[in-house]
PDB file of all heavy atoms in Angstrom:
ATOM      1  N   TYR C  28     -32.099  44.269  11.306  1.00  0.00           N
ATOM      2  CA  TYR C  28     -31.125  43.418  10.664  1.00  0.00           C
ATOM      3  C   TYR C  28     -31.163  42.070  11.081  1.00  0.00           C
ATOM      4  O   TYR C  28     -31.308  41.126  10.309  1.00  0.00           O
ATOM      5  CB  TYR C  28     -29.693  44.056  10.902  1.00  0.00           C
ATOM      6  CG  TYR C  28     -28.552  43.278  10.565  1.00  0.00           C
ATOM      7  CD1 TYR C  28     -28.107  43.185   9.205  1.00  0.00           C
ATOM      8  CD2 TYR C  28     -27.917  42.487  11.500  1.00  0.00           C
ATOM      9  CE1 TYR C  28     -27.023  42.469   8.850  1.00  0.00           C
ATOM     10  CE2 TYR C  28     -26.774  41.709  11.149  1.00  0.00           C
ATOM     11  CZ  TYR C  28     -26.347  41.739   9.775  1.00  0.00           C
ATOM     12  OH  TYR C  28     -25.274  40.946   9.444  1.00  0.00           O
ATOM     13  N   PHE C  29     -31.252  41.844  12.456  1.00  0.00           N
ATOM     14  CA  PHE C  29     -31.276  40.435  12.958  1.00  0.00           C
ATOM     15  C   PHE C  29     -32.695  39.821  12.641  1.00  0.00           C
ATOM     16  O   PHE C  29     -32.763  38.615  12.362  1.00  0.00           O
ATOM     17  CB  PHE C  29     -30.941  40.403  14.369  1.00  0.00           C
ATOM     18  CG  PHE C  29     -29.489  40.761  14.696  1.00  0.00           C
ATOM     19  CD1 PHE C  29     -29.124  42.022  15.269  1.00  0.00           C
ATOM     20  CD2 PHE C  29     -28.474  39.922  14.352  1.00  0.00           C
ATOM     21  CE1 PHE C  29     -27.798  42.189  15.474  1.00  0.00           C
ATOM     22  CE2 PHE C  29     -27.143  40.169  14.578  1.00  0.00           C
ATOM     23  CZ  PHE C  29     -26.841  41.338  15.129  1.00  0.00           C
ATOM     24  N   GLY C  30     -33.600  40.759  12.789  1.00  0.00           N
ATOM     25  CA  GLY C  30     -35.136  40.325  12.501  1.00  0.00           C
ATOM     26  C   GLY C  30     -35.055  39.735  11.077  1.00  0.00           C
ATOM     27  O   GLY C  30     -35.694  38.702  10.845  1.00  0.00           O
ATOM     28  N   ASP C  31     -34.542  40.503  10.079  1.00  0.00           N
ATOM     29  CA  ASP C  31     -34.528  40.091   8.662  1.00  0.00           C
ATOM     30  C   ASP C  31     -33.872  38.710   8.610  1.00  0.00           C
ATOM     31  O   ASP C  31     -34.288  37.773   7.833  1.00  0.00           O
ATOM     32  CB  ASP C  31     -33.871  41.119   7.871  1.00  0.00           C
ATOM     33  CG  ASP C  31     -34.814  42.265   7.413  1.00  0.00           C
ATOM     34  OD1 ASP C  31     -36.029  42.163   7.894  1.00  0.00           O
ATOM     35  OD2 ASP C  31     -34.322  43.088   6.655  1.00  0.00           O
ATOM     36  N   ILE C  32     -32.635  38.548   9.287  1.00  0.00           N
ATOM     37  CA  ILE C  32     -32.001  37.281   9.045  1.00  0.00           C
ATOM     38  C   ILE C  32     -32.771  36.165   9.620  1.00  0.00           C
ATOM     39  O   ILE C  32     -33.009  35.096   8.998  1.00  0.00           O
ATOM     40  CB  ILE C  32     -30.651  37.365   9.853  1.00  0.00           C
ATOM     41  CG1 ILE C  32     -29.718  38.448   9.147  1.00  0.00           C
ATOM     42  CG2 ILE C  32     -30.005  36.049   9.820  1.00  0.00           C
ATOM     43  CD1 ILE C  32     -28.463  38.695   9.905  1.00  0.00           C
ATOM     44  N   ALA C  33     -33.349  36.398  10.814  1.00  0.00           N
ATOM     45  CA  ALA C  33     -34.166  35.286  11.465  1.00  0.00           C
ATOM     46  C   ALA C  33     -35.368  34.931  10.555  1.00  0.00           C
ATOM     47  O   ALA C  33     -35.699  33.817  10.319  1.00  0.00           O
ATOM     48  CB  ALA C  33     -34.602  35.770  12.857  1.00  0.00           C
ATOM     49  N   GLU C  34     -35.988  36.026  10.075  1.00  0.00           N
ATOM     50  CA  GLU C  34     -37.177  35.885   9.237  1.00  0.00           C
ATOM     51  C   GLU C  34     -36.878  35.067   7.965  1.00  0.00           C
ATOM     52  O   GLU C  34     -37.548  34.187   7.530  1.00  0.00           O
ATOM     53  CB  GLU C  34     -37.823  37.220   8.904  1.00  0.00           C
ATOM     54  CG  GLU C  34     -39.315  37.020   8.523  1.00  0.00           C
ATOM     55  CD  GLU C  34     -39.888  38.359   8.119  1.00  0.00           C
ATOM     56  OE1 GLU C  34     -39.303  39.434   8.483  1.00  0.00           O
ATOM     57  OE2 GLU C  34     -40.756  38.357   7.293  1.00  0.00           O
ATOM     58  N   GLY C  35     -35.730  35.456   7.379  1.00  0.00           N
ATOM     59  CA  GLY C  35     -35.216  34.775   6.186  1.00  0.00           C
ATOM     60  C   GLY C  35     -35.096  33.405   6.387  1.00  0.00           C
ATOM     61  O   GLY C  35     -35.512  32.495   5.714  1.00  0.00           O
ATOM     62  N   LEU C  36     -34.405  33.009   7.493  1.00  0.00           N
ATOM     63  CA  LEU C  36     -34.123  31.496   7.812  1.00  0.00           C
ATOM     64  C   LEU C  36     -35.454  30.862   8.099  1.00  0.00           C
ATOM     65  O   LEU C  36     -35.697  29.830   7.618  1.00  0.00           O
ATOM     66  CB  LEU C  36     -33.197  31.406   8.965  1.00  0.00           C
ATOM     67  CG  LEU C  36     -31.697  31.801   8.623  1.00  0.00           C
ATOM     68  CD1 LEU C  36     -30.853  31.755   9.920  1.00  0.00           C
ATOM     69  CD2 LEU C  36     -31.121  30.807   7.526  1.00  0.00           C
ATOM     70  N   MET C  37     -36.369  31.508   8.902  1.00  0.00           N
ATOM     71  CA  MET C  37     -37.600  30.755   9.304  1.00  0.00           C
ATOM     72  C   MET C  37     -38.411  30.595   8.112  1.00  0.00           C
ATOM     73  O   MET C  37     -38.916  29.534   7.887  1.00  0.00           O
ATOM     74  CB  MET C  37     -38.289  31.781  10.381  1.00  0.00           C
ATOM     75  CG  MET C  37     -37.763  31.870  11.656  1.00  0.00           C
ATOM     76  SD  MET C  37     -37.520  30.219  12.424  1.00  0.00           S
ATOM     77  CE  MET C  37     -39.229  29.675  12.556  1.00  0.00           C
ATOM     78  N   THR C  38     -38.588  31.640   7.235  1.00  0.00           N
ATOM     79  CA  THR C  38     -39.462  31.405   6.080  1.00  0.00           C
ATOM     80  C   THR C  38     -38.854  30.361   5.023  1.00  0.00           C
ATOM     81  O   THR C  38     -39.626  29.547   4.536  1.00  0.00           O
ATOM     82  CB  THR C  38     -39.717  32.709   5.293  1.00  0.00           C
ATOM     83  OG1 THR C  38     -38.452  33.313   5.005  1.00  0.00           O
ATOM     84  CG2 THR C  38     -40.651  33.630   6.094  1.00  0.00           C
ATOM     85  N   ALA C  39     -37.566  30.353   5.089  1.00  0.00           N
ATOM     86  CA  ALA C  39     -36.928  29.356   4.205  1.00  0.00           C
ATOM     87  C   ALA C  39     -37.235  27.973   4.680  1.00  0.00           C
ATOM     88  O   ALA C  39     -37.622  26.984   3.988  1.00  0.00           O
ATOM     89  CB  ALA C  39     -35.399  29.588   4.080  1.00  0.00           C
ATOM     90  N   PHE C  40     -37.023  27.816   6.052  1.00  0.00           N
ATOM     91  CA  PHE C  40     -37.302  26.530   6.633  1.00  0.00           C
ATOM     92  C   PHE C  40     -38.777  26.028   6.514  1.00  0.00           C
ATOM     93  O   PHE C  40     -39.099  24.895   6.201  1.00  0.00           O
ATOM     94  CB  PHE C  40     -36.896  26.401   8.147  1.00  0.00           C
ATOM     95  CG  PHE C  40     -35.414  26.369   8.278  1.00  0.00           C
ATOM     96  CD1 PHE C  40     -34.794  27.260   9.217  1.00  0.00           C
ATOM     97  CD2 PHE C  40     -34.617  25.557   7.506  1.00  0.00           C
ATOM     98  CE1 PHE C  40     -33.420  27.239   9.423  1.00  0.00           C
ATOM     99  CE2 PHE C  40     -33.283  25.555   7.665  1.00  0.00           C
ATOM    100  CZ  PHE C  40     -32.602  26.380   8.663  1.00  0.00           C
TER     101      PHE C  40
END
Side-chain angles (χ1 to χ4, degrees):
Chain C
Y28 171 80
F29 292 108
D31 275 0
I32 295 174
E34 204 187 331
L36 287 173
M37 287 307 293
T38 51
F40 287 136

